[in-house]
Amino acid sequence: MLLVSEQDIINTYSEKEQLSCKKYSKYKELIKENPSFGYKRCAKLLGVPQGRTRWWHAKGEKKAVPLALKTVKKLK
């Protein structure tokens, strides 16, 4: 039985965080379609700072995701 969906949780965050989640999902699709793209090219295509995509692109423990998506992952 599903009481609260992932999108319901994301909607409780600010507009800025919600936009970050949308950009992150677009980033994941872009990398999946074009594995040769680096974080700089992705940042330019998505219109976000390079620093943000650099941490999304990192491997291992240093990999970052938006705060709302971290919360969703913890609650799952």
Side-chain angles (χ1 to χ4, degrees):
M1 184 165 106
L2 181 67
L3 297 176
V4 180
S5 71
E6 292 179 14
Q7 190 60 46
D8 291 337
I9 296 168
I10 292 170
N11 290 342
T12 63
Y13 283 86
S14 68
E15 290 292 324
K16 185 178 175 183
E17 272 299 319
Q18 291 178 32
L19 181 63
S20 183
C21 290
K22 289 177 187 173
K23 294 287 185 174
Y24 182 76
S25 65
K26 288 181 183 178
Y27 165 79
K28 295 298 274 182
E29 289 175 18
L30 189 62
I31 288 295
K32 190 175 185 179
E33 294 169 2
N34 306 293
S36 64
F37 282 9
Y39 72 88
K40 290 180 182 178
R41 183 180 287 177
C42 291
K44 193 172 191 177
L45 292 171
L46 294 172
V48 296
Q50 288 181 6
R52 189 174 302 168
T53 56
R54 179 178 62 233
W55 292 111
W56 291 347
H57 199 76
K59 304 285 187 214
E61 289 183 25
K62 294 193 178 215
K63 185 175 181 130
V65 295
L67 182 61
L69 294 177
K70 279 185 186 177
T71 304
V72 168
K73 187 176 178 181
K74 282 183 183 180
L75 292 173
K76 270 188 171 178

